[in-house]
Amino acid sequence: MHEVMSEPSELPQFRDVSVSEIPQILRAGLRDFMRAPVFGLAFSGFYVLGGIILWFVFAAEGQEWWLIPFALGFPLLAPFAAIGLYEISRRIEAGEPLIWGQVISCCISQKDRQIPSMAMLILMMFMFWVFVAHTTFALFMGLSAFTNVSSSPEILFSGQGLVMLAVGSLIGAGFALVLFSFTVVGLPLLMEREIDIITAILTSMRAVAANPVSMGVWGIVIAGSLFIGMIPMFLGLLVVLPVLGHASWHMYRHLTS
């Protein structure tokens, strides 16, 4: 199924998904995580470890506030964690054995397909978001704030700081919304079928446009769960990431069944 294919696949037909189905989808994600917790913890562990390392690096420099744009931008990187989790859910669904070698081999084989192009797009959007967050900070706080915020972090939560955080959050939400519309269907579609990235993105956007309310709620659930999972010290992501990753596969299945 995951070998490189020369013939393009047919696009799936989409159906409407109601908001009332989201709890069922989340339960399916939790069920898959409980079925294969070691896999979920292993995939999410890389992100948790990365978050902890960033915290220590910024803390050592007295720049803990820089965690704010990274935290706001984390939903942009979350799809990276989903690839292996999609494969786990697909195997559980198909009744195939969960063998580390086969799962890793499937993930590695994606390098010859369209997933790397999507990964590059995600990374570019994240890096651009970090640049925009830096620029927003400078516009609202002034260059002098860069030397004061490390010793007086309360500057972020008063006056212009609150306005800056509000504007930055809105901009970050805009980035997340665009990438969500690209990947919520596009990423699992690229993994399951042999299509190009542009077709996958356009198909994903059409699916979101056809289900604006349910997809909006689903995006809020994902973003809110990720932010909650970052407390404390990113450790909650050990569970939140795999549950959401598995659930995202089931959302894709609900949309295409």
Side-chain angles (χ1 to χ4, degrees):
M1 173 179 175
H2 295 287
E3 295 179 359
V4 177
M5 297 176 284
S6 56
E7 293 297 324
S9 302
E10 292 184 6
L11 293 177
Q13 297 297 315
F14 293 104
R15 73 173 187 85
D16 294 337
V17 172
S18 68
V19 173
S20 62
E21 293 178 74
I22 291 178
Q24 175 188 348
I25 290 168
L26 287 171
R27 287 194 295 270
L30 178 60
R31 185 174 62 246
D32 284 359
F33 173 61
M34 298 299 292
R35 180 86 175 268
V38 175
F39 287 91
L41 291 172
F43 284 117
S44 61
F46 285 105
Y47 289 83
V48 173
L49 181 61
I52 292 174
I53 290 173
L54 279 177
W55 187 88
F56 278 111
V57 168
F58 290 138
E61 297 294 327
Q63 300 290 328
E64 294 93 334
W65 63 272
W66 260 113
L67 279 174
I68 296 175
F70 277 89
L72 291 175
F74 191 84
L76 301 179
L77 291 180
F80 274 132
I83 302 301
L85 298 169
Y86 288 166
E87 175 63 10
I88 297 299
S89 286
R90 188 198 67 78
R91 284 177 173 271
I92 291 175
E93 181 183 274
E96 298 178 9
L98 299 177
I99 301 173
W100 270 110
Q102 294 179 5
V103 172
I104 298 301
S105 176
C106 170
C107 294
I108 293 176
S109 69
Q110 298 300 320
K111 67 180 177 60
D112 298 319
R113 303 177 70 226
Q114 293 286 299
I115 293 293
S117 298
M118 183 68 84
M120 184 61 66
L121 174 63
I122 294 170
L123 186 59
M124 288 176 62
M125 288 191 68
F126 179 75
M127 297 306 296
F128 186 58
W129 153 247
V130 173
F131 168 77
V132 170
H134 193 140
T135 303
T136 302
F137 185 96
L139 287 174
F140 278 92
M141 307 300 293
L143 296 177
S144 61
F146 282 102
T147 60
N148 297 330
V149 72
S150 58
S151 59
S152 303
E154 62 272 10
I155 194 174
L156 293 174
F157 304 101
S158 61
Q160 286 288 90
L162 288 175
V163 177
M164 182 271 297
L165 289 175
V167 172
S169 297
L170 287 174
I171 296 173
F175 274 90
L177 176 62
V178 171
L179 195 57
F180 172 79
S181 68
F182 287 0
T183 60
V184 65
V185 168
L187 200 57
L189 192 59
L190 284 174
M191 200 174 162
E192 186 186 37
R193 308 192 183 205
E194 191 68 18
I195 61 174
D196 63 274
I197 184 175
I198 301 300
T199 300
I201 288 174
L202 293 176
T203 302
S204 186
M205 292 175 68
R206 284 196 294 269
V208 171
N211 295 272
V213 176
S214 56
M215 288 295 97
V217 173
W218 181 235
I220 291 172
V221 168
I222 290 175
S225 299
L226 288 173
F227 288 134
I228 293 172
M230 294 180 198
I231 306 170
M233 288 288 293
F234 298 91
L235 294 177
L237 294 177
L238 285 171
V239 174
V240 171
L241 268 179
V243 170
L244 288 178
H246 292 308
S248 295
W249 175 262
H250 288 284
M251 173 59 81
Y252 167 70
R253 284 302 198 212
H254 274 245
L255 283 166
T256 58
S257 61

